[in-house]
Amino acid sequence: MAGNGLLLTVLGVRAGRDGFSTAATGAILSGYYVGFLAGTRHAAPIMQRLGLARALMWMMAVMAVICAAPALAEVPGWWILLRIAQGYMVSACYVVVETWLNTATSNDRRGHLLGIYMVCVMASFAAGAFLLRFTGTRGAAPFLVAGLITACGALCMTGAHAATAAAPSRPIPAPVALKTLFRLAPVGVVLAGLVGFSNGAFSTVAVFAQRAGLDDARTALVSAVTGLGPIVVLFPLSKLSDRVSRPAVIAASAAIAAVLFVVTGPMTPGHWPMLTSLVITGGLTLTLYTLTVAATNDRLMPDQMAAASGQIVLLYGLGAILGPFASTAAMKAIGADGYFWVNAAPHVAVVVAVVVLSQRARRPLTRRRAGDRDRAENGDN
């Protein structure tokens, strides 16, 4: 994720500064999420063939090559293809890791464990974006550094014997159709697409900084602070969600984020009030995915989790494809402030979805009671 954070920031800045069209810039940023769609469908067969540990090593090695490859040619079509390939590998990694984690814990600790996992992911993403201050945005250096960092991940996995030995070697997931998943966890299914859209729109922060007239150093700072938010916000929220209703925590987080996006737009770009707000909104926005995954897996049997992870990442990717296009289009139409309006909208939709689906299903928001009832139903069946 450190390599991914650096690569995403560099591509956003270079596309805007080097005269790429709005459509090309949106396609480069969205191509990452297009690759998500294929990666989610193929992750399970890869896990079954290689096992979780070997599959993860192979995926990271391929990503290292992909991160360095943009240095070969500064052509929009080439960068779009590479971003699609990177999205494919990253989404497959997510399915492997989240399957590993969800099968290793119970409902009363799932939020806590996924919180630790996502803090590590987001801290690495922020560190990668911050490296732009040292690599600069010109030439091949940022791409090569991104590739080297990603390669280090594969090397670490290769040497982590204790961790790889503990991984399930050949998981056999039970198939879970999207219709079945919606019946079991309707809130999780709908939220996955909305959260994907919000995260995709939020990822265009480097484009916002460039359109707001910030220099490379300020752009790197703005991009980095958006990744710092989850380090501050995610762990306590995920811990809280183990003790109270997870959907309620999701709705409250989304509501606060929507309000903050609206009030952040008029602030001076790159100054400390906006940076502070971006830390909080970034934390709340990026935390929603973790809470959605946890809320969904609370209602599943262990053998359903691998297939369900693929479906959730797929829905997330579908939403995330639209996010960068919507954000860049809004910034072109109404200026840099459009970034904040596009990000506020899906958070409002998340709140509405949680309230409506919870009432429609006539299930209490208390997670433990809902989980107990589902386990009883599964036992009866």
Side-chain angles (χ1 to χ4, degrees):
M1 286 306 293
N4 188 42
L6 176 57
L7 183 63
L8 176 62
T9 306
V10 173
L11 290 179
V13 172
R14 290 270 285 261
R17 190 182 61 198
D18 295 349
F20 290 4
S21 67
T22 300
T25 301
I28 290 170
L29 297 176
S30 295
Y32 175 85
Y33 299 105
V34 173
F36 254 66
L37 306 186
T40 58
R41 312 308 295 177
H42 298 155
I46 293 173
M47 282 190 290
Q48 288 179 289
R49 183 173 181 178
L50 300 179
L52 273 70
R54 289 177 61 198
L56 197 56
M57 293 180 216
W58 175 75
M59 290 170 187
M60 285 190 290
V62 174
M63 282 196 294
V65 177
I66 294 170
C67 285
L72 296 176
E74 195 166 322
V75 179
W78 173 238
W79 284 10
I80 292 170
L81 288 176
L82 289 173
R83 287 291 285 172
I84 292 172
Q86 187 187 25
Y88 177 97
M89 301 309 301
V90 171
S91 69
C93 276
Y94 280 157
V95 174
V96 172
V97 174
E98 289 169 16
T99 298
W100 193 336
L101 293 174
N102 278 304
T103 55
T105 189
S106 57
N107 287 3
D108 59 349
R109 297 192 65 187
R110 179 167 289 113
H112 177 75
L113 181 60
L114 289 175
I116 295 173
Y117 154 63
M118 287 303 296
V119 164
C120 294
V121 167
M122 290 299 112
S124 301
F125 185 89
F130 191 74
L131 284 175
L132 187 67
R133 294 176 63 92
F134 304 99
T135 65
T137 59
R138 301 183 184 277
F143 301 119
L144 297 180
V145 171
L148 289 171
I149 293 172
T150 309
C152 288
L155 291 175
C156 290
M157 277 295 298
T158 303
H161 174 73
T164 57
S169 57
R170 295 290 188 275
I172 304 177
V176 179
L178 189 58
K179 181 179 180 180
T180 302
L181 185 60
F182 181 79
R183 178 176 59 83
L184 296 172
V187 173
V189 169
V190 175
L191 261 57
L194 292 174
V195 170
F197 182 94
S198 69
N199 284 195
F202 192 71
S203 71
T204 62
V205 65
V207 180
F208 157 76
Q210 188 270 332
R211 289 187 178 274
L214 302 182
D215 58 21
D216 288 352
R218 281 284 177 177
T219 297
L221 181 61
V222 169
S223 299
V225 299
T226 60
L228 291 174
I231 302 173
V232 179
V233 175
L234 196 154
F235 187 76
L237 283 182
S238 61
K239 185 76 171 178
L240 177 65
S241 74
D242 284 335
R243 300 180 179 181
V244 299
S245 163
R246 258 194 259 277
V249 174
I250 292 171
S253 300
I256 295 170
V259 172
L260 285 176
F261 275 121
V262 172
V263 301
T264 303
M267 296 179 183
T268 303
H271 287 212
W272 71 264
M274 176 175 283
L275 296 177
T276 302
S277 182
L278 285 174
V279 170
I280 300 173
T281 54
L284 294 171
T285 296
L286 300 175
T287 295
L288 291 178
Y289 175 75
T290 302
L291 297 179
T292 298
V293 171
T296 303
N297 282 278
D298 284 346
R299 310 188 68 84
L300 303 175
M301 301 298 290
D303 62 347
Q304 297 174 315
M305 290 178 178
S309 292
Q311 297 281 26
I312 291 298
V313 176
L314 172 65
L315 293 168
Y316 176 92
L318 286 170
I321 290 172
L322 301 176
F325 279 112
S327 181
T328 54
M331 285 188 276
K332 181 181 180 181
I334 62 177
D337 288 354
Y339 172 81
F340 296 100
W341 290 105
V342 167
N343 276 279
H347 290 85
V348 174
V350 166
V351 177
V352 174
V354 170
V355 173
V356 170
L357 289 174
S358 298
Q359 291 180 347
R360 180 179 179 182
R362 294 184 179 179
R363 292 172 181 167
L365 287 178
T366 303
R367 182 186 57 77
R368 293 183 186 278
R369 294 180 182 177
D372 291 344
R373 186 170 68 183
D374 270 8
R375 284 191 290 273
E377 290 176 354
N378 287 330
D380 293 340
N381 292 333

